[in-house]
Amino acid sequence: MPEPSPHRENALRWRAFSLLAVAYFMTAVDMLIVNVALPTIGRELDLAQADLQWVVTAYALTFGGFLLLGGRAADLLGRRRVFEAGLALFTAASLACALATGGVFLIVMRGVQGLGAAMVLPAALSIVMNMFTEGTERNKALGLWGAIGASGATVGVLAGGALTRYAGWPYIFYLNVVVGGAALLLTRRVVPESRLRGVRRRYDPFGAVTVTAALVILVYAISQAPTAGWTAIRTLALIATSAALLAAFVAIEARAQAPLLPLRLFRLSTLAGANAVGFLLGASFYGYIFIGTLYMQQVLGYSAMNTGLAWLTVGLTGVVLAGPAQMVVTRTSIRMVSATGLTLTGAGILWATQAPAHGGFWTNLAGPLLLTGTVTWIFIPVSIGALVGVTERDAGVASGLIDSSQQLGGAIGIAIASTVAATRTRDLRAHGHAVAGALTGGFHTAFWVCGLIALAGIPIAFLLIRHTGVTGAATVQQDHVPEPAPAD
């Protein structure tokens, strides 16, 4: 049988990349697609205001908490196989969310969705890493991958607004069923299989459970602190329990024969720096979108559709800047582009603190939204930097680690931002401020927190990320040839 021509091989790679990117986009969108629908969901499913954030954070916590286990499973069991299993679970959980008639059931199914996404994402990115050779070609693929991640959140808000307005909030999840089902039908025809050869199949479920439990408890403690009190025994006990579980996770990883997170990876300075920046990026950006959406709906009175259209400003800016970001990273360094993106994004979030209780889109929102669209200049370099110096053996784990950092950062950032906003709003109301003014003051305080978190990433980028060119930066050492996809 004749070998396929280089042109056909390239076409097959990009066809597979397109399908994997669609699946990735679906998981990225789902982080915040429910944001604008939260008031409607709360009314129809009788969910209290304080519990609405769990519709978002339940997804983010299981997504981030099990990404590393998903990456490990993909490396050992077969990346396409795990991708298909995760896609099937994600699609089934989406259908369950659409059919939910109670708030608790919806939150639980959102957690199951996150578990499916935790299998899909690292498997997909590992396949991408093994399809493209190191250097310019791989950086181009990773640049597109980063742009998809950067635009996913804002496009999710727009899609959620449109579907809520014209069809109803369950169709947010029915959309996943259609896209996920189509992707499942095409995967075996399009996507090549690959796995580690000659490696004993060992997993680390205790590591996954301890880190996820620690983060769930931490987010719960933060979200309940305004009611229970920051110095209350219950709050302090929950935070102490979370810290103990995180310490247990580190101890487990240090001693496990096949650790979920090999601590030796953090000897790679650029990888460590990219993940630290990715965590802060998730905390600041996702917190900003969550709070900004509440400000638009609760203070300015925007409908779900108008809120989505407003956030489209960020997504379009990110798409326009994605190409230049990839080229600048290749010609300069990961560190400089990351620092630039953090500076501009942080400045945009802080600019939003000037939006008044009776603000307008063009006078008060457009500027901050356009400036925060430069978040693409963080997503793309950290996606590349997180894989610098990683061997093929650790490709799945490293792929899962950077996405885990961003998702867990998002879950914690949303919890912190919503808690800060609620506390400040309550204090202002107690001092006689009107509802709109008190809400605006609370949201302003949350914006300050989100903006400062983004700016905190700048010194980390300069301290940890190496100042090198990126022509071959995203280097994964390959020791096998991926299995070809079945013939059409």
Side-chain angles (χ1 to χ4, degrees), residues 12 38 158 160 163 167 189 279 319 357 371 406 419 437 453 467 472:
L12 291 173
L38 288 179
L158 174 63
L163 289 169
R189 293 174 57 87
F279 179 86
V319 170
L371 193 55
Q406 293 171 6
T419 298
I453 289 173
H467 184 65

Side-chain angles (χ1 to χ4, degrees), residues 111-460:
V112 177
Q113 262 193 313
L115 183 59
M119 299 166 66
V120 168
L121 187 50
L125 186 52
S126 294
I127 294 169
V128 170
M129 294 303 301
N130 283 281
M131 284 194 304
F132 294 95
T133 57
E134 65 185 76
T136 303
E137 186 181 42
R138 182 177 291 158
N139 289 340
K140 180 181 178 181
L142 288 178
L144 290 171
W145 197 263
I148 289 166
S151 62
T154 50
V155 172
V157 177
L158 174 63
L163 289 169
T164 302
R165 171 67 177 81
Y166 294 109
W169 68 264
Y171 285 85
I172 290 172
F173 302 107
Y174 283 131
L175 178 64
N176 290 337
V177 176
V178 174
V179 176
L184 271 173
L185 291 174
L186 293 172
T187 296
R188 284 189 176 268
R189 293 174 57 87
V190 173
V191 178
E193 179 62 289
S194 66
R195 64 170 62 85
L196 291 177
R197 303 295 185 182
V199 178
R200 185 176 176 182
R201 293 180 180 177
R202 291 174 175 168
Y203 304 93
D204 183 16
F206 294 111
V209 170
T210 52
V211 71
T212 305
L215 292 163
V216 169
I217 292 171
L218 177 61
V219 170
Y220 181 76
I222 293 171
S223 64
Q224 296 300 308
T227 303
W230 282 99
T231 59
I233 293 177
R234 186 179 76 171
T235 302
L236 296 176
L238 288 171
I239 293 174
T241 302
S242 175
L245 286 170
L246 285 174
F249 171 70
V250 174
I252 290 170
E253 300 312 285
R255 298 176 183 177
Q257 289 185 326
L260 183 66
L261 176 58
L263 299 181
R264 55 182 162 74
L265 284 177
F266 292 102
R267 297 173 189 166
L268 301 171
S269 177
T270 298
L271 179 148
N275 277 278
V277 170
F279 179 86
L280 295 175
L281 165 63
S284 62
F285 188 60
Y286 289 130
Y288 168 63
I289 292 180
F290 186 84
I291 294 299
T293 299
L294 293 179
Y295 166 73
M296 292 177 194
Q297 292 188 313
Q298 294 183 2
V299 177
L300 301 183
Y302 280 22
S303 66
M305 185 63 192
N306 287 340
T307 302
L309 289 171
W311 283 112
L312 184 60
T313 308
V314 178
L316 291 176
T317 306
V319 170
V320 170
L321 293 177
Q326 186 270 327
M327 290 188 290
V328 174
V329 167
T330 301
R331 295 176 182 176
T332 58
S333 71
I334 297 170
R335 182 168 72 182
M336 289 304 301
V337 178
S338 298
T340 301
L342 287 163
T343 301
L344 295 174
T345 300
I349 296 173
L350 293 179
W351 190 356
T353 62
Q354 304 304 307
H358 303 287
F361 177 78
W362 292 110
T363 54
N364 304 109
L365 297 182
L369 291 173
L370 284 168
L371 193 55
T372 51
T374 55
V375 71
T376 303
W377 284 51
I378 316 173
F379 272 104
I380 289 176
V382 299
S383 296
I384 296 173
L387 293 162
V388 171
V390 176
T391 63
E392 194 273 342
R393 175 181 60 169
D394 295 321
V397 173
S399 301
L401 180 59
I402 182 58
D403 291 300
S404 181
S405 298
Q406 293 171 6
Q407 294 297 326
L408 294 177
I412 293 173
I414 289 171
I416 291 174
S418 60
T419 298
V420 166
T423 302
R424 178 60 176 161
T425 298
R426 185 183 60 190
D427 290 345
L428 290 173
R429 287 288 290 153
H431 286 83
H433 286 72
V435 174
L439 285 170
T440 302
F443 295 149
H444 282 176
T445 305
F447 286 146
W448 274 107
V449 171
C450 293
L452 293 175
I453 289 173
L455 296 179
I458 297 172
I460 293 175

Side-chain angles (χ1 to χ4, degrees), residues 52-131:
L52 283 178
Q53 69 154 321
W54 286 99
V55 179
V56 179
T57 54
Y59 177 82
L61 284 170
T62 53
F63 191 177
F66 287 97
L67 268 168
L68 295 176
L69 186 61
R72 181 68 177 166
D75 284 341
L76 297 179
L77 294 176
R79 290 161 183 136
R80 187 180 66 191
R81 180 184 298 176
V82 171
F83 174 80
E84 289 177 303
L87 196 57
L89 182 61
F90 181 90
T91 303
S94 296
L95 179 59
C97 287
L99 299 174
T101 56
V104 174
F105 181 77
L106 175 63
I107 291 170
V108 171
M109 286 301 102
R110 283 285 285 167
V112 177
Q113 262 193 313
L115 183 59
M119 299 166 66
V120 168
L121 187 50
L125 186 52
S126 294
I127 294 169
V128 170
M129 294 303 301
N130 283 281
M131 284 194 304

